[in-house]
Amino acid sequence: MKVYLYSQHQSSIAKSGIGRAYLHQKEALKRVGVDVVDDRKEADLIHINTAFTGTPTMVHWAKKYHKPVIIHAHSTEEDFRNSFVGSNAVAPLYGKWLKTIYNLGDAVITPTPYAKRTLEAMEVKKPIVAISNGIDVDYYRREKISKEAFRGEYGLGEGPVVLSVGLPIERKGILDMAEIARMLPEVNFLWFGGISTKLLTSQVKELMKRPPENLHFPGYISREKLREAYYGADLFLFPSYEETEGIVVLEALAAEVPVLARDIGVYEGWLEDGKSAHLAKSTREFLRKARIILDHQCSDTRREGRKVAESKSYDAVGRQLKNLYEKVLRRR
């Protein structure tokens, strides 16, 4: 079986969740013997990852040459809101565009059952299958590192280290992170991830100019450096308000750092509060739980969290993708 993975503007979105999901697919398919080709003419099936203007053209080409198309639904109207300057104003139009795009293919993939329900509510009529974006669990297998060296690299003090990763936007909970940092001045907070300041809202711009003294914004770092950050952190805090999955949550689980995330629908069925992760609904609850986690006064979720990550390994995801491809090709 030969598959062409289409990700328009991949070089520009490589640091985003969608860009990383595309790379995860390539590795997952390699693990199960599916040939990912560079020439779409050689492919038996086209798997589209982006919902940009090139997508309708790619679908039209595929139909012309009788190649089935799978559309990967990484985004929804909900996770577009509260992201960039003007995002809320254009979100309804963006939602209509996504609905049109997702209905173009023969089937739709989305990362979680929650995202599947969201698409169904959007009236996406094509068959929808929930398949995780996957994680390289072996890469994040726990290793010992020098915490002193890690702290020295980022100029951290003696207190515990709380880590978050993502675009510095309101939807990801960056303003909440800052509020928590102000109430825990003895704790070091790091937020990794960057984006053009032109896209940031005024509140986020102001925060990044004048953050609390214990909140640091090192920007985007390499995969290797991020792994070191997971190993060096005492807590992974992810206060995002809306996700279709959250690759960084999977990475943190695989690296066996305690995870404290917002209690939102996307985690239903795969993250269990107090067992595989800790969940909070409000800033007050985030603060309370962060304190007891850092004081080691709560259940240790790291082992069960690692098991969750292992269930979404490249091998598992590759098998699911391959099965779906075969089903769609048989229907054709």
Side-chain angles (χ1 to χ4, degrees), residues 304-319:
E304 291 300 319
R306 171 75 187 183
K307 290 180 182 178
V308 170
E310 288 172 347
S311 72
K312 300 175 185 295
S313 69
Y314 280 164
D315 296 277
V317 169
R319 288 191 294 269

Side-chain angles (χ1 to χ4, degrees), residues 33-63:
V34 174
D35 189 6
V36 178
V37 297
D38 295 326
D39 186 347
R40 62 184 180 177
K41 295 179 181 178
E42 298 178 9
D44 302 305
L45 179 145
I46 309 296
H47 181 162
I48 297 176
N49 275 278
T50 47
F52 298 139
T53 54
T55 297
T57 302
M58 178 59 70
V59 173
H60 177 77
W61 178 90
K63 289 183 176 180

Side-chain angles (χ1 to χ4, degrees), residues 43-303:
D44 302 305
L45 179 145
I46 309 296
H47 181 162
I48 297 176
N49 275 278
T50 47
F52 298 139
T53 54
T55 297
T57 302
M58 178 59 70
V59 173
H60 177 77
W61 178 90
K63 289 183 176 180
K64 178 180 178 181
Y65 291 96
H66 308 290
K67 298 179 186 291
V69 173
I70 290 176
I71 307 287
H72 212 122
H74 293 289
S75 303
T76 65
E77 179 182 335
E78 286 75 11
D79 73 8
F80 184 71
R81 292 182 180 276
N82 299 311
S83 297
F84 314 109
V85 173
S87 61
N88 288 0
V90 301
L93 290 175
Y94 183 63
K96 290 180 180 179
W97 168 258
L98 290 177
K99 175 183 173 181
T100 299
I101 293 296
Y102 295 159
N103 277 306
L104 290 177
D106 296 280
V108 177
I109 298 174
T110 201
T112 57
Y114 167 80
K116 179 180 178 181
R117 294 193 296 272
T118 302
L119 296 182
E120 290 169 344
M122 288 171 56
E123 298 184 342
V124 174
K125 302 298 184 183
K126 297 303 174 73
I128 306 170
V129 180
I131 301 176
S132 171
N133 286 313
I135 180 72
D136 187 350
V137 291
D138 293 330
Y139 184 77
Y140 293 99
R141 191 172 299 280
R142 191 73 182 181
E143 295 178 3
K144 291 183 179 180
I145 69 161
S146 169
K147 287 200 173 185
E148 291 74 18
F150 170 74
R151 290 171 180 275
E153 184 170 359
Y154 296 103
L156 305 178
E158 293 299 321
V161 176
V162 174
L163 169 70
S164 196
V165 182
L167 296 177
I169 56 179
E170 290 185 33
R171 174 177 64 82
K172 293 288 186 180
I174 192 170
L175 300 180
D176 304 77
M177 177 90 153
E179 186 176 352
I180 296 166
R182 290 188 184 99
M183 291 186 283
L184 293 174
E186 73 281 7
V187 177
N188 299 291
F189 287 79
L190 288 170
W191 184 293
F192 289 110
I195 195 173
S196 170
T197 55
K198 295 178 181 178
L199 298 175
L200 299 177
T201 61
S202 57
Q203 278 187 291
V204 175
K205 283 182 181 178
E206 182 61 26
L207 168 63
M208 297 188 78
K209 284 180 182 177
R210 298 177 181 85
E213 288 186 6
N214 59 330
L215 175 56
H216 310 275
F217 296 107
Y220 182 84
I221 58 173
S222 69
R223 185 175 182 233
E224 294 75 18
K225 285 294 183 182
L226 182 56
R227 179 174 59 174
E228 292 179 10
Y230 287 130
Y231 294 159
D234 298 289
L235 173 64
F236 180 77
L237 178 64
F238 197 62
S240 178
Y241 285 87
E242 184 70 30
E243 296 289 324
T244 53
E245 183 173 43
I247 289 176
V248 294
V249 172
L250 296 180
E251 291 174 349
L253 292 172
E256 296 184 64
V257 56
V259 169
L260 174 57
R262 191 175 300 278
D263 190 357
I264 53 177
V266 70
Y267 304 124
E268 291 177 9
W270 60 282
L271 281 188
E272 186 175 346
D273 187 27
K275 184 178 179 181
S276 53
H278 299 280
L279 303 176
K281 293 181 181 293
S282 65
T283 302
R284 178 178 294 181
E285 191 174 8
F286 271 115
L287 180 63
R288 179 179 65 82
K289 289 197 172 185
R291 281 177 170 149
I292 62 174
I293 294 168
L294 294 174
D295 289 339
H296 307 288
Q297 299 298 315
C298 62
S299 57
D300 189 344
T301 60
R302 291 174 295 177
R303 186 184 297 271

